[in-house]
Amino acid sequence: MILVTGGAGYIGSVTTLALKEEGFEVLVVDDFSKGHRDLAFGDRLEEGDLRDPAFLEGVFSRYPVEGVLHFAARSLVGESMSDPEGYYDVNLRGTLNLLATMRAHGVRRFVLSSTAAVYGDPTEQPISEEAPKVPTNTYGETKLFLEGALRRYRDAYGMGSVSLRYFNAAGADPRCRTGEHHVPETHLIPLIFDAIEGRRKHLTLFGEDYPTPDGTCIRDYVHVTDLAQAHVRALRRLLEAPDRCEAFNLGNGDGHSVRQVLQVAEKATGRPVPLEVGPRRSGDPSRLVASSRKAQEVLGWVPEHGDLEDIVSTAWAWYIKRFPAD
Ligand code: UFG
């Protein structure tokens, strides 16, 4: 049985579906602070908080867990700067508890949701795994700390792990069973849809004076279904050889500017996006594009939904299903 923490969240729910389609039995653990009950697709569900060791002990005592995919975390850059303690508490304390319980039960396969935020504002593009890691926010720091802890735990305790550094997760399950539903929403694509649907007055474009061709920030948008497939591959790799400790970037290797995303969204929806150009959002690097060569070579991972059109149109289909117009 595979334990998926945060399995009722965005990437966790898509990955749960992918695991089940590959024949894995899935136990979802979620505290529903961010996740949604109707998006918990595991064969089994346990509701609880990873900061509670007694809860974790109960879960690992009751289920024959072979491996853990750990999505549960707080992941908003801005919030991590105003509430660092909350990020240390959930991301560090929660994860260290989880690893301690895994050790106590002899479970040695762990896949960590990591992030491009570990690189901070990198000078090299596309970014390889070896690029300097100088996070510029608490969120990125917590994930970088955990990656380091996993190296120590492998050497000291034989804990096997794969850290997956997502770039900009986007899109939705092509069968529209799940997708993005954050409260509050801070991500570009769903906010564009909110503006199109009149749920907000306009989308604020955060700065058009960046050193990029059209002046807006460039990001590497990667389809959530492709991210899910990378998790299945990482898990299989650990099931074959549990003593590894590796990290992989997950992106398409293609950068798209905010203006380009807006254009694709207008085309996919056939609707104009009410727009206002605002100042830069603090902490936004001008360009983040992944080299995912290592994931392709070592995991055999090839993104199949890399087109921005595909990403935006699956996201739109999910959005209108999840948030029907009044
Ligand atoms: N943007 C806007 N207006 C908005 C929202 C976003 O112009 O209302 C722009 C941002 O400035 C950025 C781009 O759209 O240039 C994408 O922004 P998102 O908030 O969707 O995503 P980020 O690139 O900020 O965040 C992603 C991941 C984080 C990760 C971070 C690393 O979601 O988990 O990359 O920098 F930490």
Side-chain angles (χ1 to χ4, degrees):
M1 181 169 268
I2 303 303
L3 193 162
V4 178
T5 75
Y10 173 39
I11 308 173
S13 64
V14 179
T15 304
T16 297
L17 290 173
L19 287 168
K20 287 179 68 180
E21 274 153 24
E22 299 270 335
F24 290 100
E25 209 182 347
V26 179
L27 164 64
V28 164
V29 165
D30 208 294
D31 67 356
F32 297 108
S33 58
K34 299 280 177 200
H36 304 277
R37 286 177 199 279
D38 62 327
L39 303 182
F41 301 115
D43 302 287
R44 305 296 293 269
L45 169 67
E46 290 285 344
E47 179 173 354
D49 191 323
L50 304 182
R51 289 169 294 183
D52 175 0
F55 164 70
L56 281 172
E57 179 54 35
V59 169
F60 279 81
S61 309
R62 284 196 297 281
Y63 298 96
V65 176
E66 284 168 273
V68 176
L69 271 56
H70 181 41
F71 296 93
R74 289 175 70 178
S75 63
L76 299 179
V77 167
E79 183 190 62
S80 79
M81 299 303 279
S82 56
D83 179 23
E85 187 178 60
Y87 275 68
Y88 298 140
D89 196 33
V90 173
N91 294 7
L92 301 185
R93 188 151 73 96
T95 307
L96 294 177
N97 276 348
L98 176 61
L99 290 167
T101 316
M102 288 175 64
R103 280 189 59 214
H105 288 263
V107 182
R108 296 193 298 139
R109 297 171 174 96
F110 187 78
V111 180
L112 175 73
S113 293
S114 188
T115 171
V118 299
Y119 297 112
D121 200 350
T123 45
E124 85 176 50
Q125 301 280 347
I127 304 161
S128 77
E129 285 80 358
E130 283 67 45
K133 282 145 215 88
V134 194
T136 51
N137 53 64
T138 314
Y139 168 58
E141 281 166 4
T142 61
K143 294 293 182 171
L144 187 59
F145 173 88
L146 291 174
E147 288 196 14
L150 289 172
R151 279 194 297 280
R152 300 294 186 217
Y153 279 37
R154 195 272 310 270
D155 295 348
Y157 314 128
M159 174 73 68
S161 69
V162 173
S163 296
L164 298 175
R165 297 176 188 150
Y166 316 149
F167 279 62
N168 285 63
D173 171 44
R175 289 171 56 192
C176 232
R177 293 166 294 180
T178 183
E180 209 159 354
H181 181 173
H182 296 115
V183 183
E185 188 52 79
T186 63
H187 295 100
L188 177 63
I189 294 172
L191 289 179
I192 290 176
F193 298 154
D194 280 351
I196 288 176
E197 287 285 279
R199 290 194 170 98
R200 57 180 55 236
K201 231 169 77 205
H202 50 250
L203 179 91
T204 306
L205 198 169
F206 294 141
E208 47 174 14
D209 58 348
Y210 284 95
T212 59
D214 66 15
T216 67
C217 285
I218 291 178
R219 294 287 180 275
D220 186 336
Y221 296 89
V222 54
H223 200 292
V224 66
T225 301
D226 287 328
L227 291 183
Q229 287 307 321
H231 286 79
V232 174
R233 287 176 180 272
L235 175 66
R236 287 201 189 284
R237 191 164 162 82
L238 288 171
L239 289 170
E240 278 162 20
D243 59 341
R244 301 173 190 282
C245 177
E246 296 170 326
F248 299 96
N249 288 342
L250 298 178
N252 284 306
D254 261 349
H256 294 284
S257 71
V258 178
R259 286 265 181 213
Q260 286 173 318
V261 176
L262 284 162
Q263 243 173 31
V264 170
E266 292 196 332
K267 203 169 141 217
T269 61
R271 311 255 300 271
V273 183
L275 187 68
E276 187 176 278
V277 177
R280 291 183 178 197
R281 181 173 67 178
S282 111
D284 270 348
S286 58
R287 182 189 294 259
L288 285 176
V289 178
S291 162
S292 297
R293 228 179 63 197
K294 185 175 168 193
Q296 302 200 11
E297 285 174 7
V298 178
L299 295 178
W301 176 70
V302 182
E304 284 177 7
H305 306 271
D307 278 2
L308 191 58
E309 283 75 11
D310 195 353
I311 289 173
V312 173
S313 59
T314 55
W316 175 239
W318 162 253
Y319 180 93
I320 54 181
K321 178 180 171 199
R322 186 72 170 173
F323 309 103
D326 301 329

